[in-house]
Structures are given as structure tokens and as C-alpha cells.
Amino acid sequence: MSLIESPTAVSPLHRHISLRAEGKTFPSVIEMVKTLRPEEPLHCVRPGVISSAASAFCTAFNGDVLYAVKCNPEPAVLRAVWDGGVRHFDCASISEVQLVRRLFPGAEIHFMHPVKARSAIREAWMHHNVRDFVLDSESELTKILQELGKPEAAKLGTKPGLFIRLALPETGAAINLSKKFGAEPEAAIALLRAARPLAAKLGLAFHVGSQCLDPLAWRDAMQLAGEVIRASGVQIDVLDIGGGFPVAYPDMNPPPLGDFMSEIDAAYDALQMPGLKLWAEPGRALVGGGASVVVQVQMRRDNMLYINDGVYGALADAGALRFRFPSRLLRASASQGAPDAAFGFFGPSCDSLDVMNGPFLLPDDVAEGDWIEIGQLGAYGTCLRTAFNGFDRAALVEVSDRAMLETPGYEPSES
Ligand SMILES: *Cc1c(COP(=O)(O)O)cnc(C)c1O
């Protein structure tokens, strides 16, 4: 199946190009360009790459793997994650919960946002069989208990799983996630004690930050978690070591997956807490290599290319965060072999902030009308699109070739 057909994604891609590609999986991006000659940005999902990465992670990690849905909620992507063996989903909004429940009636869904709407807590608990909730404050604990204590909700007669999100000191991650969420150790200790008698399952969770290249960040965080657990004096059932596992970008070369897992295994042994279960919530690592966007050049001015997608489309992280993504020219006829040069991109909107400095390496003779594949956009690309300035006509196809960059440890096994 090649296109989004069934349930709407949280932010569904349009289908207008898809009609011409119905039922088709293209063997490669270049074949797709020859067939469709897309004049709108086209998202190319590689389900095989995503399934392999998910399967590699599930095999390497000694615990339950929760896919962080926010990273890419496209149904084609979720199905590929499922096909790779993932059965748990980390959701942060009621729309994500509804989407996952619709696609996978048997999935285990966990509500891992520390600040939730009351209605979302109720609906998840009552209608979608969600039992686990994360929190990082006393007021959120009170909110959850009030909602689950209402007569309708209390009828279920079960206690929730409660997870305390621990703030971490700054790590080497590209994107810090402890400034906004997480209880400091003293507060986390108090919350663990308060939650224990109320919880069917008690957990401690953290996130080292997204695109964290240093395996030692997990060791340090797990050590801190161990200190917090011991100081609380209560029994903990689950340690959730979050996401943050990196993928390869042109200027970022992560150590192999195995290096992260050895640190995690060693840190787990050092905790000496037999019976403690481990969970992880990878997002980027499972899907980052699994999608590209194919854009078309609308004008060239010196070494700046005006393209039909930008920071209000799939390329948000190439703007303010200055991520570099791999790029390649897709020409139906053989190139003249022009040497590579460094280019920047302007997106299609009228906003002067819609600029991506890269640099993106492309043959020096790139010109108006050419197609360019921009890779490694499976994570935080597709899902950050907006309709700003009317540029919302992207579509999705599936392709079966390899990722533009391999992340060590996640490569598909040769078959
Ligand atoms: C975003 C997020 C993740 C996924 O992070 P990645 O860096 O994509 O692996 C996992 N857990 C929580 C709570 C998150 O907010």
C-alpha cells in the first residue's frame, strides 16, 4: 500500500499527487521523479528502513520500546514501526492517542506528557485503555487523581501507572528537554513517595535531550535516577530512559547503537535493583532515516536556490536549529559531472526567515526545474509542516531504496 489511505494522521498529508501513484511502491526516489515529475514537495517514506531500525532497536534494548509518536505520526510510518516489532506507543496528546488506538487496537499506549488537559486524561483512561501517565509536579498528580477519581472513571476499579519525570543537568544533546519538563531530584523523591500508594505501577522517567551523541549521558542519568530511587525509599517498578538516540546527519556521526546499549546495560547492572524493568522512548532513531523530501528548484541566484519547501514545511530544523541534511540532485538524464558546490536554500514563503544555510552540497550546474532529494527528514520533518502562505500541498509516496545516510547499528540486514 503506497499512500495514506485510512485514518487521518494528526496532520495528514494531502493526497492529490497520490492518485497517480495509487498502489505503487517506487523502487527508488529517482524512479519516482521520472514517473511523477512532482511540482509540489513530495515526502518519500521508506517503510523498510523504518522497520529495520525499529527491529534493530527492539533487539538491542533489554526492555520495552515505546515509539514517541510526536516524532512522526504518519500512518505509513506508524505501520512500519509496528512491523519492526514495536507494540508500545508514547503519546503526548489525545489526538495521538486516538490515532494509535484506531490503527492498532492491541497497542499499549502510554500518556507521557507531564502536563495534560483534564479532558485528555479522562478520555484516554475511559475510552482508549491508557493506564500510564507521566507527571513532574504535585499539581499534575492532583489533577490526574481528581479525574480518575470521578465516579465514571473510578468504575474501572484499577489504579493508574504513575511515572515521575526527572529533570537532568545539561547533557551534550543537540536539543535540551529538561528546561521545560522534569522535577529536580528533591521534588522527584517527594513525588515518588506520594505516588507509590496510589499507583499500580510506579516509574521514574527522564529524557537526556534529542540527538544526544554521547552514550555516557544515559549512564550519568541512570546513576542519578538510582540515587533518587534509593533516597525515596520506595519500590520502583520501571525506569524509563526516554529517547534522544541519534541518527546520522552530514556533520553528525553517532557511535554505533551497541555503544549506547552497553552503557545502558552496565548502568542497569550498577543499580543493583533486580526486578526493575527498563523502558525506552526512541523517536528520531527509529524514523529519522526513513523519509526524504523531494523538492524542485524554482530559481537560482548565485549559490542560493529558491525551492518549493522550507522552514514552514518539512525543513523547520534546517532553519533556526541549523541542522544540515544530506542532499542530492535527481536528474532523469545523466549529469555532466559538474563538481559539487555548497548551496543554501530559500523556502517558498515570503518570510525572510524562511532560509536554510546548510550548506547543502550539490553539483555546480544545478538549475531551475531540477529536483533535489533532501534526506534524513523522517524525524521532526513531515510533522512540523504548516500551511503558512498557502504552501501546504505536499504529498506522500513510499519508496523501497536505502536511507540516504546509514546510522551504525540500524542498517537493514541483507536478505
Ligand atoms: C520527544 C520525546 C521523545 C522522543 O525523543 P527523540 O529524541 O526523538 O528520541 C521521547 N520521550 C519524550 C517524553 C519526548 O518528549
Side-chain angles (χ1 to χ4, degrees), residues 66-68 70-71 90 92 112-114 134 165 177 181 206-207 209-212 240 242-246 281-285 379-380:
L66 287 61
Y67 170 60
K70 78 162 186 286
C71 189
D90 156 9
M112 302 312 262
H113 192 307
V134 79
R165 171 83 171 260
L177 291 171
F181 296 124
F206 60 75
H207 197 300
S210 201
Q211 184 67 7
C212 179
D240 179 343
F245 300 90
E281 303 172 353
R284 186 188 300 273
Y380 309 109

Side-chain angles (χ1 to χ4, degrees), residues 85-121:
V86 173
R87 295 293 175 266
H88 296 257
F89 293 82
D90 156 9
C91 292
S93 65
I94 197 63
S95 298
E96 288 182 356
V97 170
Q98 292 165 351
L99 170 68
V100 173
R101 184 51 80 222
R102 231 172 16 233
L103 286 175
F104 313 117
E108 303 256 3
I109 302 179
H110 314 270
F111 211 139
M112 302 312 262
H113 192 307
V115 185
K116 292 163 286 299
R118 285 178 180 268
S119 58
I121 297 169

